[in-house]
Amino acid sequence: MTQEPSHSSSFSVPRVGVNVMVVKDGKVLLGKRKGAHGEGEYASPGGSLEMMESFAACATRETLEECGIRIKNVRFQFCANSLHFDPRHYVCIGMIADWESGDPVNLEPDKCESWDWYDLDALPEPLFIYCRMAITSYREGIRCMDSDI
């Protein structure tokens, strides 16, 4: 018989998060996280998938809620099974999208310091784990990551 992990019941099942790599003129949109895991790390917009929501709808909603910009051509980039935040277990759905309109505005100042566009060849450090995964997927074509990189 397999012994169950001693994790809190509030973390008894994996949670689904959506990461959105937003691209504009060869640059990506990143914000410096605060007040949560990954504080001080640069991350793409993203958040929790809501009940009955498509991945693309979640990506569009989170990007608009967090930084006030509109995106288009939202498409699947990668999936990852992330055990990095034990006892939390996440499945990350990475999406990639093109910028459509608007200038980034920090609409959740309790969660992010600011938003800015960064050249893919001059990314800030440190990068949040899902942002690192998105960049790896973008550069190497990896679509499925069964553990953290």
Side-chain angles (χ1 to χ4, degrees):
M1 182 161 109
T2 305
Q3 185 169 350
E4 293 293 318
S6 61
H7 298 151
S8 158
S9 62
S10 65
F11 302 114
S12 62
V13 296
R15 296 182 180 181
V16 178
V18 174
N19 182 81
V20 192
M21 184 175 167
V22 182
V23 181
K24 176 186 176 188
D25 300 326
K27 296 183 177 189
V28 294
L29 182 65
L30 299 175
K32 193 170 187 181
R33 294 174 63 93
K34 67 180 192 179
H37 54 274
E39 183 164 7
E41 298 175 342
Y42 291 86
S44 304
S48 296
L49 183 70
E50 294 182 356
M51 288 295 293
M52 306 308 293
E53 185 176 43
S54 72
F55 299 145
C58 180
T60 301
R61 175 183 56 76
E62 288 287 351
T63 302
L64 188 60
E65 286 177 359
E66 292 181 10
C67 45
I69 66 168
R70 299 206 179 273
I71 56 176
K72 63 182 179 181
N73 196 21
V74 182
R75 59 219 181 263
F76 175 80
Q77 185 182 26
F78 70 92
C79 67
N81 184 30
S82 179
L83 310 176
H84 185 75
F85 300 108
D86 188 27
R88 295 175 179 96
H89 178 179
Y90 291 95
V91 173
C92 177
I93 304 300
M95 304 295 283
I96 187 168
D98 300 318
W99 170 86
E100 183 174 24
S101 65
D103 292 321
V105 177
N106 189 7
L107 298 175
E108 296 181 335
D110 56 320
K111 297 178 182 178
C112 179
E113 288 185 19
S114 64
W115 292 100
D116 207 350
W117 297 101
Y118 294 90
D119 190 290
L120 282 162
D121 295 323
L123 296 170
E125 290 288 338
L127 292 175
F128 187 57
I129 186 167
Y130 302 135
C131 187
R132 284 197 319 266
M133 289 176 170
I135 298 299
T136 298
S137 174
Y138 184 81
R139 290 180 174 156
E140 299 176 23
I142 298 171
R143 299 287 178 249
C144 182
M145 299 170 208
D146 196 27
S147 62
D148 297 324
I149 59 169

